[in-house]
Amino acid sequence: MSVAPQLTLARRIGAGSVLRTGREADYRSLALGDGEAYMVRHDLVGDSAGIPSPGRGRPLAGVAHVTDLQLADVQSPARFEFLNREFRDPRFAALVPVQRPQEALTSHAVDAMVRTLNRVAGGPATGRPIDLVVTSGDAIDNAQWNELVLFLALLDGGIVRVDSGGETFEGVQASAWPDDIFWRPDGGPEPDIFARDFGFPLVPGLLSRALKPFAAGGLDAPWLGCFGNHEALIQGVARITDELAKRLVGGRKPLALSAAIERDTASETFVTQPEAFFAAPSAKVTPDPLRRPLSRAEFVDGHFYAGARPHGHGFSADNRRDGTAYYVYDTAAIRFIALDTASSLGGVDGSLDAAQFRWLERRLEEAQSSYQDRRGDTVCSDQEDRLVVIVSHHGPNTLTNAWPRGDHAGGSPVGGTAILELLHRFDNVVLWLNGHTHANAVTARTNPQGDGGFWEVTTCSLVDWPCQARLVEVVDAGKGMLAIVCTMLDHDSPVVPPGPADRRDLASLHRQLAANVPWAGFSWRGSGSPLDRNVVLPIRAPFTAARLPS
């Protein structure tokens, strides 16, 4: 088996030597370590089941899963970064962190991952090229139009414009910004908390370099879009009210938490009345009409343009007509069902509305010739059997949003328990891809009513450490078995930042900074365990897989 160097089978990136010492933690370099071989998970088939080698099986699909890019307008007036000061107060737990030291460089990390995906000649288990790149929401950070334009330019190719507002940098990382809670790469009047306590370096001119326009080549493979809470809500949490929409394109940015905000109810106030957080000292910034907020319909419509592959990036004419963001994308062997789990009425976690839940049931019925109905009776039809892969931003454990969705059908939100019960009625559901938690995780979703179940695969965020994507190969392994082979993938920018003369420097530095963030770096759970990374996930075929086309 030939292993490309960016695949973690060959080597893994981890903590290196100490570069600088802070009062609370050291700032470390990154270094290459040994690769990580596949681990076989027997959760759904039992230890005694013979697992044919996936490398000798017949590939049915090659998918790249990329999620939670959170491409941010780092100068937006309506990003409330000052809330990071409240990180020790549990009443603000749902609102922080807002700002990351590396976020101005994220577009360069995404571009590096796109280049890497384009160079993957084939999956390591089967050699099959990438058929499809699947995104699963939170591609952008603050529900803004200019962020969507940035995302589309990176994935489809074009001139990437990261900057917004005026000619000079007007964000919280500016040297003159009156708050030391943020990392200031150019330095400031006094050391900031990141330099003082965590050893972060001075990197003069970094922001100027990071925000210059650059040309992106875009993905060679077709890709699918997805709607997450950061596409729907301010900071992924707050409703977009009429007053907030005006503030987004306005010229004042708040500097601190207003004394008028009641701390015991701050999270609820932020969800329902985010404009109240402008009632505080503010700084003048340059207005920018391209920061206007996105509606769900505008987000979907933005994916329809000449040259998009597939047309609309999965979103359909029905979505454009109805203002919805859930759809079906069929390949020869697999039906991909993309869900919209974000509520426009607020809250970081997700749910479905009643209309989407009924729609999901119908789409599942169309993909299998035999299934269980709501009463548990077997239903046979003349439908063609396909495997089903669910794609969504939230997974079952985070489909707990209690806010009434109010998007379309209204009524009580449908949560993860009900969705799992529905999916378990259809044994051709083999995989659920999602994100949201920014952490690698693989969970066997066993069917409590009988044998079998399906695999839930959650992939880490590209914006936070370990800044990876995941290759997923679906294999007919023979002897009545399928295998889902998952392989973690690094973007291949240098492990050690090579310096400003090399265009890969910014992506490399993004990863090093992300690794050293105190709340989401080396010591955090984002990487998962070995059982969540390079894994072979066997599952019994729900029908004769030989009937499926490759």
Side-chain angles (χ1 to χ4, degrees):
M1 179 171 58
S2 175
V3 178
Q6 63 269 25
L7 297 178
T8 55
L9 295 166
R11 85 289 185 274
R12 292 188 68 221
I13 301 173
S17 59
V18 173
L19 297 177
R20 279 164 295 277
T21 298
R23 296 193 309 190
E24 294 189 20
D26 296 329
Y27 185 93
R28 306 184 76 95
S29 66
L30 296 178
L32 289 177
D34 293 338
E36 191 167 68
Y38 288 120
M39 300 190 73
V40 180
R41 297 273 303 262
H42 294 85
D43 311 44
L44 295 181
V45 297
D47 290 341
S48 61
I51 310 300
S53 168
R56 292 196 295 270
R58 185 172 63 97
L60 300 175
V63 175
H65 183 211
V66 184
T67 190
D68 294 83
L69 314 181
Q70 291 195 222
L71 290 156
D73 175 2
V74 296
Q75 300 172 88
S76 173
R79 291 184 80 225
F80 303 92
E81 296 99 335
F82 59 80
L83 289 172
N84 278 14
R85 281 205 165 274
E86 312 300 330
F87 73 95
R88 289 190 177 93
D89 189 331
R91 294 170 293 186
F92 290 83
L95 305 182
V96 297
V98 180
Q99 196 271 345
R100 299 167 170 83
Q102 73 274 17
E103 63 187 15
L105 313 180
T106 302
S107 59
H108 297 274
V110 174
D111 187 49
M113 184 60 76
V114 167
R115 295 195 306 269
T116 298
L117 291 173
N118 289 344
R119 287 199 290 271
V120 174
T126 66
R128 186 183 181 102
I130 295 173
D131 302 303
L132 189 67
V133 177
V134 172
T135 69
S136 55
D138 283 9
I140 63 178
D141 187 71
N142 209 45
Q144 296 179 201
W145 172 257
N146 62 330
E147 293 175 341
L148 176 61
V149 172
L150 171 61
F151 166 63
L152 295 175
L154 284 164
L155 264 63
D156 272 335
I159 301 300
V160 175
R161 293 181 171 85
V162 186
D163 201 4
S164 68
E167 294 183 1
T168 60
F169 182 75
E170 297 173 335
V172 298
Q173 291 183 279
S175 293
W177 198 263
D179 197 334
D180 69 352
I181 195 70
F182 311 108
W183 178 55
R184 296 180 292 214
D186 288 300
E190 297 178 355
D192 59 71
I193 190 172
F194 282 89
R196 183 178 65 246
D197 292 352
F198 304 107
F200 273 57
L202 289 176
V203 189
L206 177 66
L207 294 172
S208 177
R209 284 197 290 135
L211 298 183
K212 287 181 180 178
F214 65 92
L219 284 166
D220 292 339
W223 61 271
L224 301 182
C226 186
F227 195 71
N229 55 295
H230 278 265
E231 277 83 21
L233 304 163
I234 294 299
Q235 293 177 200
V237 180
R239 300 176 188 176
I240 301 174
T241 64
D242 290 343
E243 181 60 30
L244 193 282
K246 295 176 184 176
R247 301 280 191 168
L248 262 176
V249 297
R252 304 297 302 186
K253 183 174 177 65
L255 296 172
L257 184 66
S258 169
I261 297 294
E262 173 55 54
R263 287 174 171 264
D264 286 343
T265 57
S267 289
E268 183 173 340
T269 301
F270 189 78
V271 169
T272 59
Q273 299 175 327
E275 63 273 11
F277 286 71
F278 277 88
S282 62
K284 184 178 180 181
V285 297
T286 305
D288 190 335
L290 295 180
R291 291 173 174 147
R292 64 181 177 83
L294 280 169
S295 67
R296 182 180 268 98
E298 288 172 317
F299 177 82
V300 169
D301 201 57
H303 289 71
F304 287 82
Y305 45 85
R309 292 189 309 123
H311 185 56
H313 291 298
F315 296 113
S316 68
D318 289 347
N319 295 140
R320 299 181 88 180
R321 181 193 65 225
D322 301 333
T324 57
Y326 46 87
Y327 62 86
V328 161
Y329 181 79
D330 285 324
T331 66
I334 297 177
R335 163 162 283 196
F336 292 85
I337 301 180
L339 303 179
D340 165 14
T341 57
S343 171
S344 60
L345 292 185
V348 67
D349 287 336
S351 67
L352 303 189
D353 62 17
Q356 185 177 177
F357 187 72
R358 291 192 297 269
W359 172 91
L360 172 60
E361 183 177 30
R362 292 194 297 272
R363 302 294 81 79
L364 291 166
E365 291 171 353
E366 294 170 352
Q368 192 167 14
S369 62
S370 176
Y371 58 88
Q372 302 296 311
D373 67 13
R374 298 176 189 178
R375 297 174 298 182
D377 296 330
T378 299
V379 176
C380 296
S381 72
D382 59 358
Q383 298 290 346
E384 182 180 354
D385 285 321
R386 276 197 178 103
L387 302 178
V388 171
V389 174
I390 305 296
V391 179
S392 67
H393 182 61
H394 300 87
N397 291 350
T398 55
L399 286 166
T400 57
N401 193 322
W403 290 96
R405 281 188 52 116
D407 300 332
H408 308 107
S412 299
V414 180
T417 300
I419 296 167
L420 284 173
E421 290 175 354
L422 171 62
L423 297 180
H424 282 314
R425 289 169 37 205
F426 298 85
D427 59 8
N428 62 334
V429 176
V430 295
L431 178 63
W432 187 342
L433 294 173
N434 54 59
H436 186 59
T437 62
H438 293 212
N440 289 319
V442 174
T443 306
R445 292 294 179 179
T446 55
N447 187 346
Q449 303 303 319
D451 294 334
F454 62 87
W455 290 101
E456 178 190 356
V457 173
T458 305
T459 299
C460 62
S461 166
L462 191 56
V463 70
D464 288 323
W465 174 257
C467 311
Q468 294 175 320
R470 190 190 294 266
L471 297 181
V472 180
E473 298 168 85
V474 182
V475 185
D476 173 9
K479 299 182 180 180
M481 302 290 290
L482 303 173
I484 297 166
V485 184
C486 297
T487 315
M488 299 312 301
L489 177 73
D490 295 309
H491 58 75
D492 66 347
S493 59
V495 176
V496 177
D502 190 324
R503 69 169 293 190
R504 301 171 300 167
D505 180 63
L506 294 172
S508 178
L509 186 55
H510 174 277
R511 181 165 53 203
Q512 186 187 89
L513 292 166
N516 282 280
V517 170
W519 64 83
F522 292 123
S523 61
W524 192 63
R525 61 183 179 86
S527 294
S529 78
L531 291 173
D532 301 310
R533 296 191 292 256
N534 295 343
V535 288
V536 177
L537 308 175
I539 184 172
R540 288 187 173 86
F543 45 79
T544 304
R547 300 203 309 262
L548 293 171
S550 297

